[in-house]
Amino acid sequence: MLLLTFISFHCFILAPIGVDASSKLYIVYMGEKKHKDPNHETASHHNILTSLLGSKEEALNSIVYSYKHGFSGFAAMLTDSQAEELAELPEVITVKPNRIYRAHTTRSWDFLGLDYNQPTGLLQKAKYGEDVVIGVVDSCVWPESKSFDDSGYGPIPSRWRGKCEEGEAFGANNCSRKIIGARYYTGGVSQADLKGDFMSPRDFGNHGTHTASTAAGGLIYNASFHNLATGNARGGAPRARLAIYKACWGRRIACGGAALLAAIDDAINDGVDILSLSLGGPEEIPGTLHAVAKGITVVFSAGNDGPAPQTIKNSVPWVITVAASTIDRSFPTVITLGSNQRLVGQSIFYEIQQNSNFTGLVDGYSCDADSLNGTNISGEIVLCYAPDLAASTLPRQSLPSAVSNVISAGGGGLIFAQYTVNILENLYQCQGIPCVLVDFEIANKIANYMSTTSNPVVKVSPTSNVIGMEVLAPKIAAFSSRGPSVAFPGVLKPDVAAPGVSILAARRNSYFFDSGTSMACPHVSAVAALLKSLHPDWSPAAIKSAIVTTASVRDGYGIPIEAEGTSRKLADPFDFGGGHINPNRAADPGLVYDIDPKD
Ligand SMILES: *[C@@H]1O[C@H](CO)[C@@H](O)[C@H](O)[C@H]1NC(C)=O
Ligand SMILES: *[C@@H]1O[C@H](CO)[C@@H](O)[C@H](O)[C@H]1NC(C)=O
Ligand SMILES: *[C@@H]1O[C@H](CO)[C@@H](O)[C@H](O)[C@H]1NC(C)=O
Ligand SMILES: *[C@@H]1O[C@H](CO)[C@@H](O)[C@H](O)[C@H]1NC(C)=O
Ligand SMILES: *[C@@H]1O[C@H](CO)[C@@H](O)[C@H](O)[C@H]1NC(C)=O
C-alpha cells in the first residue's frame, strides 16, 4: 500500500497528469485516527478528496501520503482555493502548505561518565541498550560503516513491525540485526534536492550516518580523523537497534514537511521506542504528540541560530529539545613567528609536514574580497584580524568566507581571529590549507610582531589534541539556539544541553568531525534509550523529567557552566534548560514529574 503511494507520487513529480498546474503540496491534519483499520482511514481520505475534486481518479492523482497509523491526515496536491475549502470541513483541524526543514564520538561519552567498562554505570545496567529501538529521521545511513556491524546481536525484537525498503544502491541485505528498518520519503522535497541523491535509504548528505552512529553506533577501536581525536568511537547506546527514515535529501539536507510527517507516522506504527530528529524549520513539526502519547520519547535539536535570544526551534512541551555544549577536548596548534615566539591557536589541520618551513605572513584585515584586493597573498599565510567588525559578524559566517577568499586569491593559509577560540565548528571546512583560530589577544601579538619587521614569517605546526580537565568544559556553544521560544513563550526551552562541538562519528567508511545541535540531539536520544532499557515502564514524561532534573549546572571543577557568545556569561535556563546532561544520575533521579498525554 505504502509502496503504491510512492510510485504514484513519483509519477506526479515527473508528470503531474490531472493535477492543476497551480496546485502545490498541502498537509491536511485531522488529529486522532477515526478508524482502527488503516485502510479505512485511507479510504476516508480518498472520499474527502473525491468529493472535493469531483472524481476518484483526481483524488488518487492528488494524494501523496495518507497518514493513518499514529494519527489521521494526508498530503495532497491542491490549489489554494481547494485548500481553503478543505480547511472549512469540520473533521479537518489544520491545512498548511508543505514546508522545508533543515538538518541542524568517542570522547563525548566518556566525558559524560558513560564509561564502557564501568560495571555499575547506566551503560552496563541498561545492557548497552540492546532491547531498545531508536528511530532516526534524517538523511539515513551508510550501511557499510563498521559502526553498524551486527555481529553478536540477538534476534530482532519480536514486537518490531517495520520494514526494509530497497532502492538505488540499497538492497534487502543492507538491513541487519543492527539496522532493523529503513524507509525513504520524497514528499515535499524539491527536484533540486533529490537530484544526485540515492533514490533509497542510502545516505548521501552524510548527516544521518553521523547522527545515527552517535546515538547507537557499535564500538569501533582506534577511530580517528587523520589521527586526531583517536580513540574508541561508539554511540551512547552502542547495542541499541536502529530504524532509519530518510526524509532529508541532497547536499543541503533538506527535509520535506510531508515526508517528515509520513516518517513519523510510520515510526509510530513500526514500534520505535525513541525518535531522534536533528532538524528543524520555520514551524513546529506536527505529529509528535501522537508519538509521545504512544509512549515514544521524541528528541529534537534546538537549532544553530545562537547566541541571539528567541532563536530556539522545536519547542512544543512534550518533546526534549537539546542545546549543544563543548567537551573537554581541544586541538591546540602551535604558531611560530619569525621572532621565534610560539603562540597557540586551535585548528583541525593534519595535512602539513612536521618540518615545514617558515612562510610569509601578510595582513588581510577582515579577509573579505575587498580587503584582500590589491595585496599579493600568493602562497602566503594571511592574518584575518578585524576586531572592529566582530560585533557585526558571527565567526561561523565570516570564517568560511575568509577561507574561500584566501584560497581564491591564491593564499597558502590563514590565521583567523575571533572573540572566542572555542568555536571549532567550521574548521573542517578549511579545504586543505592551514587555518588556525586564535583569540584577539594572540592576534594582537601577531600584529605587533608584523609591525616590527619588514619581512614577517610564520610557521604552523600540525595540530595535536588534548583531552581532560585542562580543557574547561562544558560550555554552551555560541551557535546553540537560545530561548525563550517565540512560539511558546510560556514553555521553558531548551530542556537540556549535550555535547555538540567537534563530535567524531561515522561518515561513509570513515569518521569525521561535525558540530551542531544536530550532534547534541542523538546524545540525548541515546541516554533516553538506556533509561528506557533500564526502566521499561517509564513514560516519555518520566524519562524527560529524569534527564532534565538531574542535569548539572556546574562543570567538573564545580564552576558554574558558562555560555559562549559575543560576551561569555554564566549559562541560564534559556541557554541549557535544566543544565548539562548527566546520564548516570538520570538513571536514579529520586523523583520524576510524570504527565499524562491528556495534560
Ligand atoms: C547493500 O546493498 C547494495 C546493493 O544491493 C550492495 O551492493 C551492498 O554490498 C550492500 N551492503 C551491505 C553492507 O550489505
Ligand atoms: C591505530 O591506527 C593507527 C593509524 O591510523 C595505527 O598506527 C595504530 O597502530 C592503530 N592502533 C591499533 C591498536 O590498532
Ligand atoms: C627555510 O627558510 C629559510 C629562510 O626563509 C631559508 O633560508 C631556508 O633555505 C629554507 N629551508 C628550506 C628547506 O626550504
Ligand atoms: C579590485 O580593485 C580594483 C580597483 O579598485 C577593481 O577594479 C576590481 O574590480 C577589484 N577586484 C575585486 C575582485 O573586487
Ligand atoms: C605574487 O607573489 C608571487 C610569489 O611571492 C610571485 O611569484 C608573483 O609573481 C606575484 N604576483 C604578482 C601579480 O605580483
Side-chain angles (χ1 to χ4, degrees):
M1 186 61 217
L2 193 74
L3 202 63
L4 283 179
T5 323
F6 281 140
I7 292 165
S8 60
F9 176 61
H10 287 301
C11 295
F12 279 145
I13 319 192
L14 302 176
I17 310 153
V19 173
D20 192 305
S22 67
S23 57
K24 50 183 193 264
L25 188 57
Y26 275 95
I27 295 172
V28 180
Y29 173 64
M30 300 165 62
E32 293 289 337
K33 287 176 59 173
K34 313 289 181 299
H35 305 90
K36 215 171 160 120
D37 181 344
N39 292 328
H40 291 170
E41 202 72 45
T42 300
S44 74
H45 302 152
H46 288 167
N47 289 343
I48 291 172
L49 275 171
T50 302
S51 52
L52 177 78
L53 302 174
S55 79
K56 175 110 190 176
E57 196 192 353
E58 294 221 25
L60 290 177
N61 272 340
S62 153
I63 194 161
V64 173
Y65 293 119
S66 170
Y67 307 122
K68 54 186 185 281
H69 299 302
F71 46 92
S72 181
F74 55 90
M77 300 296 289
L78 301 167
T79 63
D80 293 348
S81 63
Q82 287 165 346
E84 277 166 32
E85 219 175 302
L86 272 183
E88 298 297 314
L89 296 179
E91 61 266 46
V92 168
I93 297 176
T94 59
V95 178
K96 288 185 173 175
N98 175 67
R99 305 295 290 265
I100 298 293
Y101 296 80
R102 294 290 299 279
H104 293 173
T105 62
T106 58
R107 179 65 197 159
S108 56
W109 293 112
D110 289 338
F111 178 56
L112 292 180
L114 286 181
D115 182 335
Y116 205 82
N117 300 311
Q118 180 197 350
T120 58
L122 171 61
L123 197 53
Q124 284 68 26
K125 284 194 279 186
K127 292 179 289 190
Y128 303 88
E130 179 150 359
D131 312 327
V132 184
V133 181
I134 303 181
V136 181
V137 182
D138 207 303
S139 62
C140 258
V141 296
W142 193 261
E144 289 78 18
S145 167
K146 283 186 285 182
S147 290
F148 305 127
D149 186 355
D150 74 345
S151 310
Y153 281 72
I156 293 170
S158 57
R159 65 199 156 83
W160 178 247
R161 291 188 301 271
K163 58 191 238 178
C164 185
E165 280 175 4
E166 297 181 44
E168 185 182 351
F170 199 95
N173 62 346
N174 285 184
C175 290
S176 62
R177 289 182 170 193
K178 180 70 183 179
I179 299 172
I180 63 171
R183 297 175 184 261
Y184 66 107
Y185 310 85
T186 56
V189 184
S190 76
Q191 278 300 308
D193 288 315
L194 292 175
K195 198 169 169 237
D197 201 324
F198 300 101
M199 232 357 101
S200 74
R202 183 171 290 274
D203 185 8
F204 175 75
N206 297 323
H207 191 265
T209 301
H210 202 278
T211 55
S213 64
T214 301
L219 179 64
I220 302 300
Y221 293 104
N222 205 15
S224 72
F225 180 70
H226 298 277
N227 287 328
L228 287 175
T230 302
N232 299 335
R234 65 177 166 89
R239 288 183 79 86
R241 317 302 177 110
L242 280 166
I244 51 168
Y245 300 87
K246 181 173 182 174
C248 306
W249 296 78
R251 281 189 206 291
R252 299 193 310 148
I253 332 274
C255 321
L260 284 175
L261 206 49
I264 293 169
D265 187 31
D266 280 340
I268 293 172
N269 191 51
D270 290 349
V272 305
D273 298 300
I274 312 290
L275 256 184
S276 189
L277 296 113
S278 289
L279 48 93
E283 291 173 5
E284 295 297 323
I285 292 157
T288 54
L289 180 57
H290 298 279
V292 173
K294 294 260 160 47
I296 300 168
T297 296
V298 180
V299 187
F300 270 106
S301 50
N304 299 332
D305 300 318
Q310 297 188 304
T311 48
I312 187 113
K313 300 270 169 60
N314 302 321
S315 12
V316 289
W318 47 85
V319 304
I320 307 178
T321 311
V322 185
S325 60
T326 62
I327 60 171
D328 61 343
R329 179 166 66 198
S330 72
F331 300 94
T333 302
V334 173
I335 300 165
T336 310
L337 303 177
S339 59
N340 270 333
Q341 189 175 11
R342 287 157 62 86
L343 304 167
V344 178
Q346 296 270 332
S347 172
I348 296 176
F349 178 59
Y350 53 87
E351 282 97 345
I352 42 173
Q353 312 301 316
Q354 195 64 250
N355 303 315
S356 70
N357 209 349
F358 282 97
T359 312
L361 176 63
V362 296
D363 179 14
Y365 182 54
S366 66
C367 290
D368 66 8
D370 278 345
S371 62
L372 294 179
N373 191 5
T375 317
N376 183 2
I377 65 166
S378 171
E380 314 265 51
I381 303 253
V382 185
L383 175 66
C384 305
Y385 175 39
D388 49 323
L389 300 182
S392 58
T393 53
L394 291 170
R396 70 159 181 273
Q397 283 148 5
S398 49
L399 174 60
S401 71
V403 172
S404 49
N405 293 337
V406 167
I407 288 176
S408 60
L414 66 158
I415 297 171
F416 184 88
Q418 60 179 44
Y419 48 76
T420 162
V421 292
N422 277 341
I423 308 173
L424 284 163
E425 65 203 85
N426 284 305
L427 282 184
Y428 51 87
Q429 295 171 3
C430 284
Q431 306 180 31
I433 62 167
C435 67
V436 188
L437 289 188
V438 297
D439 62 14
F440 286 161
E441 191 183 335
I442 303 280
N444 191 47
K445 287 182 176 157
I446 298 172
N448 284 345
Y449 156 72
M450 291 171 79
S451 67
T452 61
T453 168
S454 56
N455 190 16
V457 289
V458 68
K459 183 165 83 176
V460 176
S461 304
T463 304
S464 54
N465 71 283
V466 172
I467 53 172
M469 290 292 273
E470 62 190 270
V471 184
L472 276 185
K475 288 184 165 59
I476 303 307
F479 61 75
S480 188
S481 285
R482 311 300 162 99
S485 160
V486 183
F488 304 98
V491 177
L492 184 58
K493 288 281 174 173
D495 294 299
V496 73
V501 175
S502 303
I503 302 300
L504 187 74
R507 169 191 200 156
R508 304 216 162 175
N509 296 320
S510 64
Y511 292 83
F512 92 129
F513 290 109
D514 210 343
S515 298
T517 53
S518 283
M519 285 66 236
C521 168
H523 278 84
V524 175
S525 304
V527 172
L530 296 175
L531 293 175
K532 182 80 188 171
S533 172
L534 185 61
H535 304 288
D537 55 327
W538 277 11
S539 68
I543 289 174
K544 175 175 174 179
S545 166
I547 288 173
V548 173
T549 59
T550 58
S552 322
V553 296
R554 291 171 183 276
D555 68 14
Y557 289 107
I559 299 169
I561 292 172
E562 295 181 329
E564 297 281 9
T566 40
S567 62
R568 191 176 286 160
K569 63 174 186 79
L570 291 186
D572 67 33
F574 291 133
D575 303 312
F576 66 177
H580 197 253
I581 192 166
N582 189 331
N584 288 317
R585 275 221 312 252
D588 185 13
L591 167 79
V592 292
Y593 298 93
D594 206 356
I595 304 177
D596 191 71
K598 285 196 197 71
D599 298 328

